[in-house]
Every structure is written in structure tokens, then in C-alpha cells.
Amino acid sequence: MCWIFAYNGDKNSIPLLVDGLKDLEYRGYDSAGLIGIKSDGEVFFKKAVGRVSSLATKVDADTNSKWDYSTGIAHTRWATHGIVNEENTHPHTSANERFYVVHNGIIENFKELKAKLEEKYTFYSQTDTEVIAKLIEDSFEWDLRSTLEEMMKTMVGAYSIAVVDRENPDTIVGIKLGSPMIVGEADDGVYISSDVNALSKVAHSYVTLEDYEMVVVKDKQYKIYSAGEMISKNVSEMDIEYDTGDMGNFSSFTEKEIFEIPEVLGNVFNGRINFEDKSIGNETLSELNEHDIQRIEIIASGSSYYAGLIGSYWFRDLAGIPVNVTISSEFLCDTFLPDDKALYVFLSQSGETADVRESLKIVKAKWCLTFGIVNVVGSTIARLADMGLYSHAWVEVWVASTKNVIAQVGIMLMMSLSMWLARDLQYSKARAIIEELGWLGDKIHEVLISTSHIHEVAKKYTQYSDMFVLGRNIFYPTAGEISLKCKELSYIHTENYSAGELKHGPLALIDPELPCLFVNPAGKHYVKTVSNIEEVRARSWVVLGFISKWDPRKDDLYTDTIELPDTSETMAPFTSLIAGYIFALYLAQELDRDVDKPKNLAKSVTVE
Ligand code: F6R
């Protein structure tokens, strides 16, 4: 999505803005722009289509960039309104070129606002952000603070906005509703960012703005206002380490993140599971067990949604609790029937996904119990949820979510075990699963060392432009997540179906050009899925099996196989997903895709 970065202080803002944008780039990479202002009001204004490196080249080519622009705002864009071009790139300006604006979010009533403003002003872009800039000029009376306060009553939507004024060159005003905005304190000045990670290298402490709050930065100081009144807020020490490091021997950062999975799972379980006495000792989970939970509702988007679906099988099978999983954008469109005996679980890597965030607000407004499984510490969803567990997957930078999905799935297995033990005292069965969890890292290593075989198989499957990805029961959403990763990274069109649904329609599409990837490790439904595979093979069509080493049909049933270590059915979603991620990654690499930044996508979807 779009992200903003701003600075006021002792240093020249221009190189700081470029560096800040580089740290935010994975969140939107259609175009980038910045404006720096000197204390006499002179500006340095640059925009470029494409990556931040294109903007950096333009900035470096202009020697004026070396002057002392003590204030500046910058932006990376993920296009929402208007095509990807320079005109639509932020910062946007008022007609009198006095005010410059960067914006993350969507102004939903921009068309009505624009229609009125068009009577007076000519618009150069198709964006909703230019409307904000023109509206500031139109409604400005004596200061930016009161102007923006009034505008917050007029603008409908979600936004974090930073504005500079050439006539008050050492000032930045920021406002926020929905989209994130963080203020960073540093020895050299004040920074504003959509993302705390981008502040971690420059600021020693930070403050997170809440909805309808405003920050006014002036001469290296800042004040925060709410409803026109100055307020004081908690300042957090910067304890976040954000450094993607180098790629080392990996071919992409995404591959590097996949290889971090065994350690991430260590973070998830250590300190929460006691592998010695095979018990779960976590305060949050113990507190959760004090609630009378009769039902679980899981709400998430994208990969987090698939993780939620996988977890739902364990909540039902182990803990015996009915579960429903809903895509957050659909939850927002549906009638909400609050249930005070339900636990509402929100899954989000970023903790900022707009649909998940807004769903959480709806549930909270009805006083229902909310639980967040979030990776980014201090993010909006983490702050809003009544309870929660961090997924501790470290910073997940690259667009495709991998290690965090595994962490989410691990947390839901742990929650299910804890709820199961609290309700049913099935100690020996639960202990067997906990014992196996202790060995999961080794099983994952087995997958990670078989990458050369997965690579060979992936090469072969690059010849197809479509693929079905199928599974049954818990392996249905496991296949769904693999399917999502294949299409997202390789741009091959993949469809996910339940194995049993194949003959209810989709089978009509299968021919030698459309292979079926079946996720069918050993488990209680193995034989039924084998029957579905037989139906495809009876027509001599192509089947790639993600199967256990043990599989007695491995030599006669499949066109190709990717073998997973022998585990119980409970562990197999982990190993299948990791093998699926590696398969998707190599498909993409063989097709020469930018796996770290797939086209049209962005990390952290902060607009609905
Ligand atoms: C896919 C992917 C997305 C995210 C989705 C939700 O690889 O990364 O589908 O899973 O946008 O994001 P979070 O988990 O941040 O809410």
C-alpha cells in the first residue's frame, strides 16, 4: 500500500527521506516522490515512476539535493485512484503550490469533494490525494491545524496524511484515521512514518497516533492533539531491530525468510510449551481458558485466512469447539450477530490490514471477546484486541507471507491443545502431539534439504499456464495456501478445490495441459483422496503429489511426487506448506519473476 515518511530537524531531509522510503518500499512500489523545504520556503520536489531506486537516481542527479532542506515529506505509492504515472505520484499540491500532501488510505467521498472544488481549481491527477491538497487551500483560514481539524469532519474514509506549508517551512502536520501513523523522536529532530520499522534506524523512541489524533511538528518539537486539545501520550523506547541484512547464499529474500522457519517455530513454542513435562504454560492461554467459550470465529485475509482455516480443524478436532472462518472483507459486508460466548480471533501478520482492523472494531463495539494473532508488535490490531499472542516471526519484509503463516498455524495448534486440555484432560493424546511438536524442527529441516528435488519438479511445471491445487479436510486449505503462493509468485493461474469437489464441475476443465497438484500426506482421508487422484489418472492426466515418504502408491499413481517426511496428520500441514512455498518460489524463479516484490502487490493492505 502507500506509505509515508517525513522529517523535520537539523539534517538535510532529502537523503533521510530517500533512505526511509527504501525501508518502506516493500509496502508499495508503483512510484515514489518527495518534497524538501528550506527554511526560506524554497523546495526540492521530485517524483519517479517505479522503484525508489529510480527516485534516488533522479535525486542524486540534481545537485540541489545537497542543500539544507530541514523539513520534508515522502511517499511510496501503491495505486488506488488513477494509473501509475508521475502525475498521480505523491506528494500532491494545492493550486497555489503552497501546501504539499502525502497520503496513505482512501478518501471515499473524494468524488463529491472534487466536484465542488472543480468549480474553482484545475486538477492535474486522478487521485483522491490531490483533492485533499486543493481542499486545504480552499478551506485554509489562519492555520493548518484548525484547517485539518475541520477537514477531518468532512473527509470520509481511512487515511494517514502529512502536510507541509511553504509559508511555515519548519512545520509538518499529520492526521490519522484508520491507517497507521507513528512519530519518532531522535536527537536530530522528529520523524513521521507509517511503519515503526522505518523509524528504528533513526529514532530512539516513538509514539503511536490513535484515530482522530493530530501531530504538529515544528522546529524539531512535536505536539499531539485530539479534538482540538493538546494531549500527552506514552512514549515507547525503540526496541525494534529492523535490518533485512543481506541475502547471504539465498537467491531471494523470500527464500531466506522460508529458511528462517525452524527458528521462528522455536520462537513460537519456546517459553509457551514445556517440552519436558509436555504441558502448555502460557499466561494468556490460561486466562483464555477462564472464559466460557462455546464458539470461535476466525477473521482474516489472504494467507492469514488460509492459516485460520487450517487452525479451525484443530479447534474442532482437538478442543471440540465449533469454528467459523470468514474472509475479513466479507465479514464487513455481512450482518454481525454478536455472541457473548464466542471468541473472535483476528489473524494478521502486519496488524494493519484494513478489512481485519475494521472487522475487529465492529466486534469490539459489541463488547465481544477479541483475540489477536499478530506479528508486528504494537500494530493497530495488536493494540485493539482484548487479548492475543504475537507470532514472533521476526520482521517479515517480503511481500509473500511465509514464515508468519507457519507461526500462525503453530499458535493455533498450541491454542487448540491448551483449550482441549482445559476441557477434556486428554493428557496422553495431547502429550503425544506436544512430543511430536518437539521434533517438528527436524522434520522441517528434512524438507529444507530436499530443495534440489523440489527445484527440478518446479522447472517441469513452469510449462503450464494453469494448475489445480487440491486437498481434502485440513489439506484443503493447506492446498489453498500453496495455490495462493504459486499464483502470487509465479503468475501461473492456479485454482484451489476440495479434492471431493473435483467431479462436481472442475473436472470438465482438466486435460493434459492442466495438471493437478494433490496435497495428500498420510492421514485419515488419505484413501478417499487417492480415489480422486485415480479419477484424474484414469484419463492419463498429469498429477503432482505432495505425499508422505511412506506412501505405498508413490511409484504407480503420480506423474511426479514431492515427498514429505513421515509425520502424524497433525504435523503434515507444516511440512506441506513449506514444501509448497519452496515449489512456488522455484516456479517463480524459473519464470524470472521478482519473487520479493511480485507485480501489483504490496505488503500490508491498509485500504479496504
Ligand atoms: C500472501 C500474503 C497476503 C497476506 C494478506 C493479509 O502471501 O501475504 O495474502 O496474507 O494480505 O495480510 P496480514 O496477514 O498482514 O493481515
Side-chain angles (χ1 to χ4, degrees), residues 435-589:
E435 171 144 20
E436 215 189 342
L437 271 180
W439 294 104
L440 184 56
D442 294 346
K443 298 290 176 187
I444 289 172
H445 274 296
E446 275 187 52
V447 180
L448 294 177
I449 56 170
S450 63
T451 52
S452 54
H453 172 68
I454 301 179
H455 199 159
E456 285 312 307
V457 177
K459 267 188 203 162
K460 190 171 164 191
Y461 282 76
T462 53
Q463 64 178 299
Y464 300 104
S465 47
D466 307 276
M467 188 158 50
F468 281 173
V469 188
L470 308 123
R472 188 180 279 272
N473 196 246
I474 198 165
F475 300 116
Y476 171 33
T478 304
E481 167 60 2
I482 294 172
S483 167
L484 176 63
K485 220 55 59 169
C486 287
K487 66 166 76 104
E488 174 183 14
L489 293 180
S490 73
Y491 317 154
I492 290 175
H493 168 235
T494 61
E495 289 284 335
N496 170 227
Y497 290 107
S498 142
E501 275 296 291
L502 198 56
K503 51 186 167 295
H504 296 285
L507 204 55
L509 283 175
I510 300 181
D511 63 23
E513 294 304 311
L514 201 162
C516 290
L517 187 167
F518 276 91
V519 182
N520 191 30
K524 51 186 176 296
H525 305 291
Y526 164 82
V527 173
K528 273 207 162 76
T529 305
V530 163
S531 303
N532 301 132
I533 298 170
E534 298 270 20
E535 288 152 16
V536 179
R537 292 298 283 154
R539 292 156 179 89
S540 307
W541 293 326
V542 182
V543 172
L544 166 59
F546 275 46
I547 54 167
S548 305
K549 279 204 166 65
W550 150 92
D551 194 322
R553 301 294 310 274
K554 65 181 170 189
D555 294 325
D556 73 307
L557 188 60
Y558 303 91
T559 321
D560 296 286
T561 56
I562 288 177
E563 288 186 21
L564 307 166
D566 289 327
T567 62
S568 72
E569 185 184 74
T570 312
M571 299 301 135
F574 293 94
T575 49
S576 308
L577 285 173
I578 295 163
Y581 290 163
I582 295 167
F583 176 70
L585 179 82
Y586 291 144
L587 271 185
Q589 269 175 17

Side-chain angles (χ1 to χ4, degrees), residues 143-398:
D143 77 341
L144 205 45
R145 181 157 79 82
S146 53
T147 305
L148 286 171
E149 232 145 51
E150 280 310 302
M151 279 174 57
M152 282 204 261
K153 297 176 193 155
T154 321
M155 293 186 299
V156 178
Y159 48 79
S160 61
I161 295 170
V163 187
V164 286
D165 171 5
R166 284 178 80 171
E167 292 192 11
N168 293 288
D170 285 311
T171 308
I172 307 168
V173 183
I175 52 173
K176 172 206 140 59
L177 175 63
S179 308
M181 181 171 264
I182 328 276
V183 181
E185 296 177 1
D187 295 337
D188 53 290
V190 179
Y191 293 77
I192 297 175
S193 172
S194 302
D195 177 328
V196 72
N197 292 332
L199 294 176
S200 65
K201 289 180 198 154
V202 287
H204 53 66
S205 41
Y206 66 96
V207 172
T208 306
L209 257 60
E210 298 300 338
D211 285 350
Y212 297 107
E213 290 180 353
M214 169 185 288
V215 59
V216 179
V217 182
K218 189 161 175 49
D219 300 328
K220 300 194 303 173
Q221 308 287 326
Y222 72 91
K223 290 180 179 156
I224 295 180
Y225 297 85
S226 176
E229 300 294 320
M230 199 171 97
I231 56 166
S232 63
K233 291 195 50 111
N234 282 341
V235 179
S236 308
E237 289 302 308
M238 183 63 73
D239 53 5
I240 293 161
E241 277 180 40
Y242 174 70
D243 184 8
T244 54
D246 59 27
M247 254 193 249
N249 291 329
F250 296 104
S251 54
S252 64
F253 282 105
T254 306
E255 187 180 43
K256 188 180 173 198
E257 290 188 348
I258 294 171
F259 275 75
E260 284 169 7
I261 287 173
E263 283 156 282
V264 163
L265 272 179
N267 296 346
V268 169
F269 297 138
N270 293 340
R272 290 166 170 167
I273 295 184
N274 185 336
F275 287 104
E276 291 287 307
D277 66 8
K278 299 184 184 48
S279 64
I280 302 199
N282 175 266
E283 264 178 42
T284 307
L285 293 179
S286 306
E287 194 189 324
L288 190 60
N289 286 332
E290 282 163 24
H291 292 269
D292 177 21
I293 295 163
Q294 300 293 331
R295 197 163 71 83
I296 295 177
E297 286 285 335
I298 300 177
I299 297 143
S301 282
S303 289
S304 293
Y305 166 71
Y306 285 109
L309 284 170
I310 294 169
S312 71
Y313 287 86
W314 293 322
F315 284 121
R316 271 189 300 273
D317 288 355
L318 304 179
I321 303 175
V323 194
N324 190 37
V325 190
T326 312
I327 292 176
S328 53
S329 55
E330 290 299 318
F331 184 88
L332 288 177
C333 301
D334 214 347
T335 306
F336 176 50
L337 302 174
D339 179 351
D340 62 4
K341 293 272 191 287
L343 175 71
Y344 292 84
V345 179
F346 296 84
L347 298 178
S348 177
Q349 188 286 130
S350 60
E352 300 294 349
T353 300
D355 295 323
V356 184
R357 180 192 71 214
E358 294 310 306
S359 305
L360 171 54
K361 286 183 186 167
I362 289 175
V363 175
K364 267 191 81 99
K366 297 290 179 193
W367 306 103
C368 297
L369 184 63
T370 60
F371 192 99
I373 301 178
V374 174
N375 191 35
V376 177
V377 175
S379 56
T380 306
I381 294 166
R383 293 199 315 277
L384 285 177
D386 299 316
M387 312 174 69
L389 287 174
Y390 281 115
S391 46
H392 290 324
W394 296 314
V395 184
E396 191 181 67
V397 179
W398 308 99

Side-chain angles (χ1 to χ4, degrees), residues 412-446:
M412 282 181 288
L413 177 53
M414 197 168 60
M415 282 173 81
S416 311
L417 287 167
S418 154
M419 291 169 117
W420 184 23
L421 285 169
R423 282 153 189 255
D424 203 6
L425 301 183
Q426 298 263 359
Y427 283 121
S428 56
K429 287 187 188 163
R431 278 182 174 160
I433 296 176
I434 293 174
E435 171 144 20
E436 215 189 342
L437 271 180
W439 294 104
L440 184 56
D442 294 346
K443 298 290 176 187
I444 289 172
H445 274 296
E446 275 187 52

